[in-house]
Amino acid sequence: MTISAAALSLEPESRRSRQLLRTGNAEADAILGGGLPINSINIIMGAPGTGKTLLAQQLALHNATPDRPAVYFTTLSEPLAKVITYLQGMAFYDDRKMGSAVLYEDLGPALVSDGAAALVRCIAETIKHISPRIIVVDSFKAVHDLSTSTAEMRHVVADLAGLLSAYECTTFLVGEYEEDDIVRYPEFAAADGIIELARYKETTRDERYVRVSKLRGASYREGLHGFRITPDGLEFFPRLVSPDHPPPYQASLDRVSTGIVQLDTMLGGGLPRGTSTLIAGPTGSGKTTAAVQFCLEGVQEGEPALFLNFQENPTQLRRLVDALNVAHSGRAADWHAMYVSPVELQIDSLIGRAFKMIRDLGVRRFVVDGVGDLFFAARDPQRVHDYLYALGQHLAVNEITTIFTYETVLGMGHADPYGHALQFSALMDCILSLDIVASDRLRRTVCVRKLRNSAHDLRVRDLDITFRGLQIGGDRSP
């Protein structure tokens, strides 16, 4: 069974027939419920440097045509020349559209001369002579600095909203707003949509998120969604959510081999297809080796496998795969590895990329080696828990068998020092506990702590790591 595009569809079915303004980015459209309602007034807000201007320019360049151009008004923020200079460095920049499909105009002089009311007059003249499809005002918040009173600004906003509502034109008001401004400024009440961009500074990286706070007439995805700024523009990663009512599916009765004969016996014939397994244990207990054998066994059986890890770089992982001496016994094209440095790990982009690979490559076996790194990298551990739950639901529906490894200090037989395993172990269908115990010498052990709806071996057994992989020996139970 291959994962269907519909199962991982980015665009809700109910939105496909609606007349919407597309962003030019499928993931952004998914967050917006398919796109932005045409002829709407929208606010793009965020602190300086969060990507507001880039998002507005992407929207303008994607939708503008010479017959229905986009008009980009600058006010008293960045000079017009600087806006265009930085735009030219982006991959989505199209010189052929400049001056015909996309028009730029500096309103700064008119605003300084005539005050905030000049904004409505200039936009009215533009609509009359050009009939634009899109209008962008960047920065709209700067207009507040030129108003003589709150009452005057309310009149400006009311006049502008009335003018725009009378024409087929989608408008974006860009500004360096803060969250408290939503209840202070009148444009937020008049807006049909509010898109918030935020940047959180970590020690080694920045994490960027987008939130749709308001979008009239649309069923958008709530919550924080990751994004990053790239040479191609803004790249979005919709938050993975599990359906309110998971689609009915027939759970497979098949068992898949782990690639370790003795472990398959302990599990009663292997892992049930489409289930999620946690392998927990301290450093050196064999977690990664077990996960690699699981993937290689899938390759032997013609099941494409994806191995996602955060600690061992591709060269180190390749050395382990080659050492097992079975790396190429199946179709080499079915082995796929994805390495992400834990220093640069961002859960939203990670899950988005992994999901795309699973869908595009027809992956049947999936490994996340080092799930604890997700908790360490995330600002909110609850967010990781929710992601893992949603991920497990999607993988189960599509019969993708998954292994997560988690590093403990003392093994699952003792207290988990970080407390992370307790947050997601209940989500797992199977839990394998690896440990290193001291007697006359250090010994590795393995036991099956949990396997839903299945009889399994409850004994603790010896475990050895050999050049052929993991070998399980006799009973170590007291």
Side-chain angles (χ1 to χ4, degrees):
M1 175 182 175
T2 58
I3 193 166
S4 65
L8 296 180
S9 175
L10 292 171
E11 183 178 343
E13 182 70 33
S14 62
R15 292 289 173 220
R16 293 177 189 162
S17 60
R18 287 195 60 192
Q19 200 174 20
L20 299 169
L21 184 76
R22 308 289 177 171
T23 65
N25 182 291
E27 290 76 19
D29 288 340
I31 295 170
L32 295 166
L36 290 156
I38 60 171
N39 309 330
S40 58
I41 300 174
N42 305 279
I43 293 177
I44 302 176
M45 61 178 287
T50 51
K52 304 181 301 298
T53 296
L54 277 179
L55 176 57
Q57 290 176 325
Q58 279 187 258
L59 284 159
L61 279 160
H62 177 70
N63 291 283
T65 65
D67 293 336
R68 294 297 308 280
V71 180
Y72 201 105
F73 292 106
T74 59
T75 58
L76 296 176
S77 51
E78 287 187 291
L80 178 56
K82 183 182 289 188
V83 171
I84 296 176
T85 297
Y86 286 127
L87 173 63
Q88 290 174 333
M90 306 305 296
F92 63 83
Y93 173 77
D94 188 348
D95 188 63
R96 296 168 298 178
K97 288 191 173 185
M98 307 308 290
S100 58
V102 181
L103 309 174
Y104 285 83
E105 183 173 343
D106 185 3
L107 291 182
L111 291 170
V112 171
S113 173
D114 301 330
L119 177 71
V120 179
R121 185 185 70 248
C122 293
I123 291 179
E125 291 175 357
T126 297
I127 291 175
K128 179 179 178 181
H129 293 101
I130 299 177
S131 186
R133 184 181 188 187
I134 291 176
I135 289 178
V136 178
V137 182
D138 185 6
S139 157
F140 189 81
K141 187 184 179 185
V143 180
H144 282 270
D145 298 331
L146 299 173
S147 64
T148 58
S149 66
T150 301
E152 182 194 20
M153 197 62 202
R154 288 190 177 276
H155 282 297
V156 169
V157 170
D159 291 343
L160 181 61
L163 172 67
L164 295 172
S165 299
Y167 292 89
E168 293 184 357
C169 179
T170 305
T171 305
F172 297 93
L173 308 179
V174 181
E176 302 80 15
Y177 297 101
E178 298 178 354
E179 188 172 351
D180 291 344
D181 293 333
I182 295 177
V183 297
R184 294 173 53 202
Y185 292 131
E187 54 264 38
F188 287 95
D192 301 297
I194 301 174
I195 300 171
E196 299 179 64
L197 304 183
R199 178 178 65 180
Y200 298 101
K201 298 179 181 179
E202 304 295 339
T203 54
T204 59
R205 68 188 187 281
D206 289 350
E207 290 195 359
R208 300 173 187 271
Y209 294 99
V210 59
R211 182 199 298 272
V212 181
S213 297
K214 175 183 180 182
L215 196 59
R216 287 175 178 149
S219 179
Y220 56 88
R221 293 195 189 182
E222 296 183 345
L224 295 176
H225 308 273
F227 78 95
R228 62 183 179 182
I229 298 176
T230 74
D232 295 323
L234 271 61
E235 183 180 7
F236 293 90
F237 307 101
R239 182 173 63 88
L240 183 65
V241 295
S242 55
D244 292 334
H245 303 285
Y249 66 97
Q250 182 64 45
S252 175
L253 300 178
D254 293 345
R255 296 284 182 132
V256 300
S257 173
T258 63
I260 306 167
V261 175
Q262 304 95 327
L263 181 57
D264 289 344
T265 300
M266 294 175 67
L267 293 167
L271 293 171
R273 185 177 298 280
T275 57
S276 294
T277 296
L278 172 66
I279 302 180
T283 297
S285 58
K287 302 183 299 298
T288 298
T289 302
V292 168
Q293 285 187 256
F294 166 76
C295 284
L296 292 176
E297 179 68 18
V299 170
Q300 285 183 298
E301 299 297 325
E303 296 184 340
L306 174 60
F307 193 98
L308 169 61
N309 78 303
F310 314 115
Q311 293 294 335
E312 299 188 36
N313 65 43
T315 299
Q316 293 171 317
L317 180 61
R318 185 76 255 170
R319 187 182 300 123
L320 172 59
V321 171
D322 290 340
L324 291 177
N325 203 29
V326 292
H328 303 294
S329 58
R331 295 195 310 165
D334 284 341
W335 165 269
H336 306 283
M338 177 181 170
Y339 167 74
V340 179
S341 166
V343 177
E344 306 301 331
L345 201 158
Q346 209 270 357
I347 185 171
D348 299 81
S349 62
L350 173 71
I351 296 298
R353 290 167 57 197
F355 247 57
K356 186 177 187 303
M357 292 182 70
I358 289 171
R359 181 184 60 198
D360 295 347
L361 300 172
V363 168
R364 308 306 309 140
R365 297 191 182 205
F366 180 42
V367 165
V368 179
D369 188 24
V371 70
D373 286 318
L374 296 178
F375 285 94
F376 284 120
R379 293 176 55 83
D380 180 9
Q382 183 62 42
R383 186 175 177 81
V384 182
H385 172 278
D386 295 346
Y387 259 100
L388 291 175
Y389 177 79
L391 178 63
Q393 293 296 309
H394 285 285
L395 295 174
V397 168
N398 290 279
E399 294 187 355
I400 298 170
T401 312
T402 306
I403 283 180
F404 300 90
T405 72
Y406 180 76
E407 183 169 316
T408 65
V409 172
L410 299 173
M412 286 291 287
H414 305 275
D416 172 19
Y418 305 113
H420 295 150
L422 297 176
Q423 298 183 51
F424 67 90
S425 59
L427 307 179
M428 299 294 109
D429 301 293
C430 175
I431 297 178
L432 303 179
S433 176
L434 309 186
D435 210 347
I436 299 177
V437 298
S439 54
D440 55 327
R441 62 181 179 87
L442 292 179
R443 295 177 182 272
R444 296 184 178 92
T445 64
V446 59
C447 68
V448 181
R449 288 192 169 270
K450 170 184 176 181
L451 183 57
R452 284 182 177 142
N453 304 317
S454 181
H456 59 86
D457 192 338
L458 294 174
R459 290 171 291 183
V460 178
R461 294 185 175 273
D462 277 332
L463 176 68
D464 290 318
I465 301 178
T466 73
F467 72 95
R468 299 184 63 85
L470 300 186
Q471 299 290 324
I472 297 176
D475 186 358
R476 291 291 300 173
S477 301

